[in-house]
Amino acid sequence: MAQILDGKSLAQQIQAQLREKIQTLEPQLGRPPGLAVLMVGDNPASAAYVRNKERACDRVGIASFGQHLPTSISQTELTQIIHQLNRDERIDGILVQLPLPDHLDDVALLTEIAPHKDADGLHPTNLGHLVRKEVGLRSCTPAGIMRLLQAYEIDPAGQQAVVLGRSILVGKPMALMLLEADATVTIAHSRSQDLASLTQAADILVVAIGRPGLITPDMVKPGSTIIDVGINRITDDHGQSQLVGDVQYDQVAPLVEAITPVPGGVGPMTVAMLLQNTVWSYCRQHNLLEAFSA
């Protein structure tokens, strides 16, 4: 069987390290780091994600300034809230929980977040830093994946990496981070021809499509590393629901070298990187990035 890349355990280690840093810095700076998560509407999955993030903040000592806003909120009203948070000195990180209701322009809203408070690493300025290999806030899910690979000593250098999905949230920044780590990167998507031939060539396969069981055993290279970003809730014939990934885990795991489980793989690492980005911004605001790196 494959080595299981345990994101839950690694995320707990990262949170413990962040908690220690905050306990050291807060007495010096007079306040804890602050994170504001903005959630619009009543999407059950989004509500669960936000609760998870708030609990994680509590565990490490980050102050939460979250707001649950009505579905009817306008683009102008939400923009004004973001501008207020940009000016609030207690807040180091701002995150707009996606997806948003259809009448709201998420791309426009993300650009309103001050780049130094962009906890999700999705502002054009921060994506530009990534392209240029400059220091900056990194997109949480891809950054979490890179940290997971590092922890398990899986070096992308010289490897063939295939990323399924081209979203700004995962696919595109993931490809850039793998490229930065000296992998040879292919991005595949819904219009790619002969998908199986691409995935079969991958030493590292990152799947971020959102389609349960998309990747079957015949689509993977034996001995490869499989990173499953998909989180899909399905219901069986008995009415029981469960979370599954985009990879047929039980069938694929015996064939590969390493694989992330769902749940417990990429998801916890995404939250850990959100907290890390917030603490990094906190240290940067106080000219203490050396303390963050220590």
Side-chain angles (χ1 to χ4, degrees), residues 38-41 43 45-46 49 96-102 104 106 169:
L38 301 179
M39 178 182 156
V40 180
N43 183 309
S46 293
Y49 293 147
V96 177
Q97 182 66 43
L98 303 177
L100 292 171
D102 291 341
L104 296 173
D106 56 355
L169 196 64

Side-chain angles (χ1 to χ4, degrees), residues 75 78-79 82 96-114 118 122-125 127 167-169 172:
Q75 185 89 7
L78 190 47
T79 299
I82 291 171
V96 177
Q97 182 66 43
L98 303 177
L100 292 171
D102 291 341
H103 71 281
L104 296 173
D105 183 343
D106 56 355
V107 174
L109 288 166
L110 292 174
T111 61
E112 297 295 337
I113 297 173
D118 171 32
L122 297 177
H123 190 282
T125 296
L127 290 172
S167 73
I168 201 69
L169 196 64
K172 289 176 181 175

Side-chain angles (χ1 to χ4, degrees), residues 144-221:
I145 292 169
M146 296 304 292
R147 186 72 173 269
L148 197 55
L149 293 175
Q150 179 186 38
Y152 283 89
E153 299 182 348
I154 299 171
D155 186 0
Q159 302 292 302
Q160 295 287 334
V162 175
V163 179
L164 298 192
R166 51 180 169 177
S167 73
I168 201 69
L169 196 64
V170 180
K172 289 176 181 175
M174 183 79 258
L176 288 167
M177 291 183 198
L178 286 165
L179 190 63
E180 187 176 29
D182 296 323
T184 300
V185 183
T186 299
I187 303 178
H189 46 80
S190 59
R191 298 198 178 186
S192 297
Q193 299 294 315
D194 195 5
L195 186 61
S197 69
L198 296 174
T199 59
Q200 288 165 357
D203 299 307
I204 299 173
L205 176 61
V206 181
V207 190
I209 297 293
R211 192 182 306 168
L214 172 68
I215 301 300
T216 56
D218 60 313
M219 296 176 70
V220 302
K221 179 179 182 179

Side-chain angles (χ1 to χ4, degrees), residues 6-163:
D6 186 352
K8 184 177 181 180
S9 176
L10 179 57
Q12 289 171 345
Q13 294 175 33
I14 293 169
Q15 290 181 25
Q17 293 165 0
L18 293 174
R19 182 169 61 250
E20 290 180 7
K21 290 184 187 298
I22 292 168
Q23 288 173 344
T24 300
L25 293 172
E26 184 179 350
Q28 302 174 34
L29 303 179
R31 68 169 181 86
L35 174 65
V37 178
L38 301 179
M39 178 182 156
V40 180
D42 298 304
N43 183 309
S46 293
Y49 293 147
V50 170
R51 283 195 301 272
N52 189 23
K53 290 167 184 174
E54 290 175 343
R55 291 190 192 109
C57 283
D58 288 340
R59 284 195 295 272
V60 304
I62 293 175
S64 292
F65 295 89
Q67 298 185 40
H68 185 181
L69 304 164
T71 304
S72 59
I73 193 169
S74 70
Q75 185 89 7
T76 299
E77 290 170 328
L78 190 47
T79 299
Q80 289 172 345
I81 290 171
I82 291 171
H83 289 173
Q84 290 169 0
L85 297 173
N86 285 340
R87 295 190 295 268
D88 192 330
E89 294 184 355
R90 301 170 300 168
I91 294 172
D92 304 284
I94 303 169
L95 180 147
V96 177
Q97 182 66 43
L98 303 177
L100 292 171
D102 291 341
H103 71 281
L104 296 173
D105 183 343
D106 56 355
V107 174
L109 288 166
L110 292 174
T111 61
E112 297 295 337
I113 297 173
H116 67 282
K117 293 191 177 186
D118 171 32
D120 236 355
L122 297 177
H123 190 282
T125 296
N126 290 319
L127 290 172
H129 287 317
L130 173 59
V131 170
R132 293 170 60 90
K133 299 184 179 181
E134 296 171 347
V135 172
L137 293 164
R138 295 290 191 250
S139 304
C140 296
T141 298
I145 292 169
M146 296 304 292
R147 186 72 173 269
L148 197 55
L149 293 175
Q150 179 186 38
Y152 283 89
E153 299 182 348
I154 299 171
D155 186 0
Q159 302 292 302
Q160 295 287 334
V162 175
V163 179

